[in-house]
Amino acid sequence: MCTKHHACRSNKVALNPSHADSCSSPKIASIKMEGVETQDCCSSTGCSSGVEPIDEDTDPKVSAAAPFTHSWKIDGMDCPSCARKIETAVNNVEGVLQSQVLFTTQKLVVNANHSGVAQLVEQTIIDTGFSFSDFSSAYQNDQPSGWKSILVKNKSIIAIAASMAFATAIKPTMPQVSEWLFIITCLIGLYPIGKKALSLAKSGTPFAIETLMSVAALGALYLGETAEAAMVLLLFLIGEQLEAFAAHKARSGVQSLMALVPDTATKISGGQRIEVSASELQPNDIIEVSPGGRLPADGRLMSSTASFDESALTGESLPIERSEGDNVMAGAVVVDRVVRFTITSKQGENAIDRILHLIEEAESRKAPLERFLDKFSRWYTPLMMLVALIVIVVPPMVFAQPWETWTYRGLALLLIACPCALVISTPAAITSGLAAGARRGALIKGGAALEQLGKIEAIAFDKTGTLTKGEPEVTDVITLNAWSETQLLEKIASIEVGSSHPLAVSLVNKARQLQIALPEASGKQALVGSGVTGVVAGVRYTAVAPSKLDFTLSQEVEQQVHLLEEQGKTVVVAVEGDDSLMGLIAWQDTLREDSAESVAVLKQLGIRSIMLTGDNPRSAQSISNQIGIDFQASLLPQDKVTYIEKLSQQSHVAMVGDGINDAPAMKAANIGIAMGGGTDVALETADAAITHNRLIELVGMIELSRATLTNIRQNIALALGLKGVFLVTSLLGITGLWVAVLADSGATAIVTLNALRLLRFKSKLDS
């Protein structure tokens, strides 16, 4: 439960060298992104493994100063207001610097200045009326299974209902006994609720629903409405159970993700198969998985080929075939044969853990509307208690009305005023929306990002790796001035060795396929947005975009370049020394199968699509004609940022890229969306990511966001509408206390169940 660490808690991201779109030139990106520290601040042993999410309202300096971090699983939370109650209470514990409760994953994270805080926090959790467990075993299904478990869990409700039924049955013959039975039932049932209300008041939450409930029930007993007081208590407890059930359903998407990692694994040690706990696996361990089994950690395939079902992680329904050396994510199911893997992930750092961590972070990034409702509820409840007091006091004192009548109506108003339904209306919808997106292979980092997606009016796409597969092939090698193809490839591929850009990798692979020996190059330097240069055997060679040359090409060579670019190919000019032409090299990338369909459907949704590329205008025009997209060509990385900033002034803009090259532009947009298999860099850089590389899912992501925003509006209207109706009827004396409780619990259940509809969300493209 406790992790001791140094003051550093930076999240490090290594940005790989990569090419500009215009040519095969590596560029080294040095970017400090919002919330991402690119510099190593301490050793790997110094920092704790993974950064616990920090709420936007907290000071990161506090977290940095905390020498101890503790975490627990909290049981019994049925709405986000419960999480806030625990946070408030724990923050008052001496030695606690900061705490945060993540409602979705039921996790309490505490930063403290000494280890003894753990016992104090645990006692505070109990005093607040909740229970806890070790987070290492946190993700177990805590819902009752079987009638026996259901009866035990609801024993209080059953006992109160039975007692009330008996009291009602004997009322005609023994009215006095019946009356006392109602009173005793109500007081016994109210005792734990009142005790919890007092604990919450002492810990800083005086206006909790428990407080309102206790005041209303005691008030009803004082007025002699004993049966109604018991009914109010019974309906409140039933409402609590309904909320707990709804909360569990809302977490079901997250819990199903947690269940993807098996508890045990078959480890190969000394040629023997040993059954070990999945938590004991370390990098470089070798494991064996049979058909139908799930991977307990990320691994590298040792077998020649095998098929894997990754649908639970990516949404991809068809099995994916992997070859020897390929990486496979934890949770993937082996389809066709027994395979062996070399473990590549540390404990707690596999693909599932990273997704869960993102979900925890997402809860910190609340939507603006959700943050507003949180703040609104903090003053709304005490204000409504003041209004209820005015309703009780003013009519009798000013208008000589009966005290009993207006006390009763004031208590009903107090119950109706409970903000539970309003508070849960937004987070319930957002949690369901995030879970639905994760099932489709769309990772959306928080309510704010989900809300932004629904407002998109224009989308800017990077070309390479986004609209195209990012797997270009060398299509043409045209030699000039007596250079042979082998000589040209030998020199230019040598200065490209080491680059990770697809164009460079393709050229080096081409040279190696032709069995060309590549000499060592020195002085390699990226000409950002232009080309690459390096020295081989004392002579400088350069590969540069035609438009970036320092000299003019002959008319014949210019025509060749023009012809290649008209075919949609990327062309570079190979140069020896300062101005001696060696030849031309051309690549052509392959469009994704769903690029044209995605652009067309986005247009139907009223969203404009623009392709941003470093390619020349003729090459960009060729791509544009194939998929029907607007374009901006010959852009340097900074030009993309400038264009996005300009476009953002006119409309709500999303930037879709690979999460590495396009990080600055993605940060400049209203929302950044990464393509690329859920890599660490892509996930850290972007606000959302499509893990399976199906561009068409961008449409589903936007539709999901719009459906979530609609759902939130429906929930708020339901919560406020029901409260408004019963507020009027209670003040007029038409409805009483038990109807008020039913209205509150009913509204909470209705908005939660409405939010759960998002778990079954289907895009128009799915039908």
Side-chain angles (χ1 to χ4, degrees), residues 290-322:
S290 301
R294 290 188 183 274
L295 267 69
D298 295 348
R300 186 179 300 110
L301 184 62
M302 299 175 64
S303 307
S304 55
T305 58
S307 295
F308 298 88
D309 178 0
E310 300 178 357
S311 58
L313 287 163
T314 66
E316 176 62 63
S317 57
L318 297 176
I320 306 296
E321 187 167 294
R322 302 291 184 189

Side-chain angles (χ1 to χ4, degrees), residues 246 378 382 384 401 491-492 512 630 752:
R378 292 175 189 177
M384 292 308 297
Q401 295 289 312
K491 306 302 183 186
I492 302 303
R512 287 172 176 165
D630 296 334
T752 307

Side-chain angles (χ1 to χ4, degrees), residues 160 163-164 179-195 213-214 217-222 226 229-231 233-234 237:
I160 292 172
S163 179
M164 287 179 63
E179 193 80 0
W180 276 105
L181 189 56
F182 276 123
I183 293 172
I184 293 170
T185 300
C186 185
L187 290 175
I188 292 175
L190 194 61
Y191 174 75
I193 299 173
K195 184 180 178 182
M213 178 63 217
S214 299
L218 291 173
L221 289 176
Y222 173 76
T226 55
M231 177 61 75
L233 176 65
L234 178 63
L237 293 174

Side-chain angles (χ1 to χ4, degrees), residues 356-375:
L356 291 174
H357 184 65
L358 284 172
I359 291 172
E360 291 177 348
E361 284 185 322
E363 199 165 337
S364 306
R365 299 167 180 164
K366 296 179 179 179
L369 180 58
E370 187 177 358
R371 290 198 296 271
F372 168 76
L373 290 176
D374 274 351
K375 293 176 181 178

Side-chain angles (χ1 to χ4, degrees), residues 707-726:
T708 303
L709 293 177
T710 299
N711 193 283
I712 289 172
R713 287 191 288 268
Q714 291 171 348
N715 282 348
I716 293 174
L718 283 168
L720 293 178
L722 285 171
K723 287 185 182 297
V725 169
F726 286 102

Side-chain angles (χ1 to χ4, degrees), residues 206-217 381 385 411 414-415 417-419:
F207 302 115
I209 179 60
E210 289 80 7
T211 304
L212 303 182
M213 178 63 217
S214 299
V215 170
T381 304
M385 291 188 76
L411 294 173
L414 199 62
L415 290 176
C418 174

Side-chain angles (χ1 to χ4, degrees), residues 192-207:
I193 299 173
K195 184 180 178 182
K196 185 174 180 180
L198 288 173
S199 297
L200 290 170
K202 291 178 182 177
S203 61
T205 310
F207 302 115

Side-chain angles (χ1 to χ4, degrees), residues 245-264:
F245 173 76
H248 170 77
K249 294 297 290 183
R251 295 188 186 108
S252 60
V254 176
Q255 289 180 334
S256 63
L257 192 62
M258 298 165 181
L260 292 180
V261 178
D263 296 328
T264 60

